[in-house]
Amino acid sequence: MRKPSAPRPERSNRAQDAPASIPPRRSGPRRPRPSRSAQGSSTPSTPTAHHGAEQAGPAAPVKRPRSASAPRTPKESGGAGSASRPRRPSTSRGASSSSPASRRGGEGAGRTSPRQESSSPEAAASTELTVFGRRQVALSGGDDRVVSTGLADRLKERQAAVRRLRLRRVVRAAVVVVAIVVAVWALAFSPLLGLQARRISVAGSDGSVSDQQVRKVLAAYEGDSLLRLDTGRLSTQVSDKLVRVRRAQVTRAWPHGLRVHLTMRVPVATVQDSDGYQVLDNEAVVLERVSEPPSGLVNIVPDPAAQASGPQKISAKQVAAVTQVVGSLTPETLAQVSSGSATEAGQVTLTLSSGASVVWGNNQDNALKARVLATLMTTTASIYDVSSPHRPTTRSADSAGATPVAPSPTS
């Protein structure tokens, strides 16, 4: 028959709610742990002792700190009295002594539960020190770098890494900007691609304009980079300063030259003035002045009908009308024309070297009239009338009337 054990005193709510103090960890050697037999022998085993305890009055409640270890099972509890006790979440004195938490601390009676540790000020301070403290771990493999595991140190390292990243980006951007500036200066402002006058080539001239004249016009741009040269403006300057040039096309010849292709003005007529003879092209542009009229050009004379009333001066309008008609003729027909005249109304008449005359009319449909005249001149006549190119006529000196001819193709 088992001996009855003393009733376990009830814990008050104040004792349970009060946070247990955390005893300081002892640094000395561990004390020998009492065996289970010794613990079992310490409990009262006689009814006399139990009866004496009941007579002594209610026992004072004993504060037992909770252990962090798991509750003991009946198999783990070695005493006979512990088997009859009801199971509770907290362990007995013997179980707490055998738990891992009691082994680490050396005494099971001084350990507290995790809830009590987290609620105590000492536990909060310990946690704060663990989080914000400085702990460094040396890397393996002989590396001298040290990794910090503290939150404050990690934040500092992250901020330093961000600053280094920003600095690298700024340096890269500065390097790119400097490289672009240097490249622009080298290509656009340095002598690397500068124009050299001796590298300017000229093509398309008929001999009236020399290469030296073209280079003289473009000499003001010598040394300038080809990238900054406006070829359209250079073309206009060449055609404006050289009268014999109708149109100029300037292109770049890398790395230091230019190519200039010229379209020349062709002289077609001459007109006499007080200083001699002016050589004109089909746009009535004065190409040069000479003392004697060149051969092969049409001489512009006053209108014979107006000349009967007295000497007449040739107006600029009359000159322009004749030059436009002469400029539209084919080279074969132009070679047979000796002179031309025009009225104030713009009616043009041409005189051939054979003595025949051409009634041209106004300046409309000049290209069509030139083709019709080239066809009519295959026959012999004294007057060729192409004023109406769709119904041209020819007349002979001994004929009584005009002889109509078939219209030529308009294409």
Side-chain angles (χ1 to χ4, degrees):
M1 182 176 178
R2 294 182 180 179
K3 296 180 180 181
S5 59
R8 192 170 183 177
E10 297 268 342
R11 297 183 181 178
S12 64
N13 295 333
R14 181 177 302 178
Q16 293 180 358
D17 297 337
S21 60
I22 301 176
R25 182 175 297 180
R26 298 182 180 180
S27 60
R30 293 184 177 179
R31 294 192 307 175
R33 185 174 54 186
S35 62
R36 295 183 179 178
S37 59
Q39 292 178 2
S41 61
S42 61
T43 57
S45 58
T46 59
T48 308
H50 177 67
H51 181 68
E54 291 178 353
Q55 291 179 357
V62 180
K63 294 183 180 180
R64 294 185 180 181
R66 295 181 181 179
S67 175
S69 61
R72 293 179 57 187
T73 61
K75 185 178 179 181
E76 293 177 350
S77 59
S82 61
S84 62
R85 297 176 183 175
R87 296 182 180 179
R88 290 178 173 270
S90 60
T91 59
S92 61
R93 195 184 312 175
S96 62
S97 62
S98 62
S99 63
S102 61
R103 293 173 186 173
R104 287 194 302 266
E107 291 182 0
R111 304 300 293 176
T112 59
S113 63
R115 182 181 299 176
Q116 293 175 350
E117 289 183 358
S118 60
S119 62
S120 62
E122 293 82 357
S126 177
T127 305
E128 183 178 359
L129 291 176
T130 303
V131 173
F132 292 94
R134 179 178 180 83
R135 291 191 299 163
Q136 297 181 344
V137 180
L139 299 179
S140 61
D143 197 345
D144 295 337
R145 293 179 300 170
V146 176
V147 178
S148 300
T149 58
L151 180 59
D153 293 337
R154 293 298 296 166
L155 291 177
K156 292 181 180 178
E157 292 174 0
R158 181 178 179 84
Q159 293 175 358
V162 171
R163 286 194 297 268
R164 287 194 298 269
L165 179 60
R166 292 177 180 175
L167 181 61
R168 283 197 297 268
R169 290 179 179 176
V170 171
V171 171
R172 290 176 184 173
V175 170
V176 171
V177 171
V178 171
I180 293 175
V181 171
V182 171
V184 170
W185 175 84
L187 296 177
F189 298 96
S190 70
L192 182 63
L193 299 177
L195 175 64
Q196 298 178 3
R198 58 187 179 84
R199 300 289 183 91
I200 300 176
S201 60
V202 182
S205 177
D206 58 356
S208 59
V209 175
S210 63
D211 297 355
Q212 190 63 29
Q213 289 177 301
V214 177
R215 293 192 183 101
K216 185 177 181 180
V217 173
L218 301 177
Y221 299 95
E222 186 172 7
D224 293 349
S225 175
L226 297 185
L227 292 176
R228 294 191 296 116
L229 293 179
D230 187 356
T231 56
R233 185 176 62 180
L234 297 181
S235 302
T236 303
Q237 289 186 0
V238 172
S239 59
D240 291 345
K241 293 184 178 181
L242 299 177
V243 181
R244 299 298 295 262
V245 177
R246 180 188 297 273
R247 184 173 60 255
Q249 184 178 3
V250 180
T251 57
R252 297 178 180 88
W254 304 98
H256 300 290
L258 293 174
R259 284 189 295 268
V260 183
H261 183 76
L262 303 178
T263 301
M264 307 301 296
R265 295 183 180 272
V266 180
V268 295
T270 59
V271 62
Q272 187 177 10
D273 60 359
S274 58
D275 296 333
Y277 291 89
Q278 297 177 355
V279 179
L280 310 173
D281 68 343
N282 61 340
E283 295 179 354
V285 177
V286 180
L287 304 181
E288 60 179 341
R289 296 178 182 272
V290 294
S291 58
E292 295 294 333
S295 61
L297 301 181
V298 177
N299 187 22
I300 300 176
V301 296
D303 183 17
Q307 192 73 14
S309 60
Q312 297 291 326
K313 185 178 180 180
I314 305 174
S315 64
K317 182 179 179 180
Q318 294 172 327
V319 172
V322 175
T323 55
Q324 289 179 11
V325 171
V326 173
S328 64
L329 298 176
T330 61
E332 294 80 8
T333 304
L334 181 61
Q336 301 180 39
V337 178
S338 60
S339 63
S341 62
T343 63
E344 290 293 335
Q347 300 295 319
V348 179
T349 302
L350 302 178
T351 302
L352 302 181
S353 57
S354 62
S357 61
V358 178
V359 180
W360 190 273
N362 55 24
N363 289 330
Q364 295 180 358
D365 300 327
N366 286 339
L368 177 60
K369 292 178 181 180
R371 290 194 297 268
V372 172
L373 180 61
T375 303
L376 294 180
M377 289 181 65
T378 57
T379 62
T380 303
S382 59
I383 298 175
Y384 300 93
D385 190 351
V386 293
S387 58
S388 179
H390 298 285
R391 290 182 298 174
T393 59
T394 59
R395 293 191 299 269
S396 299
D398 54 353
S399 61
T403 302
V405 296
S408 61
T410 57
S411 58

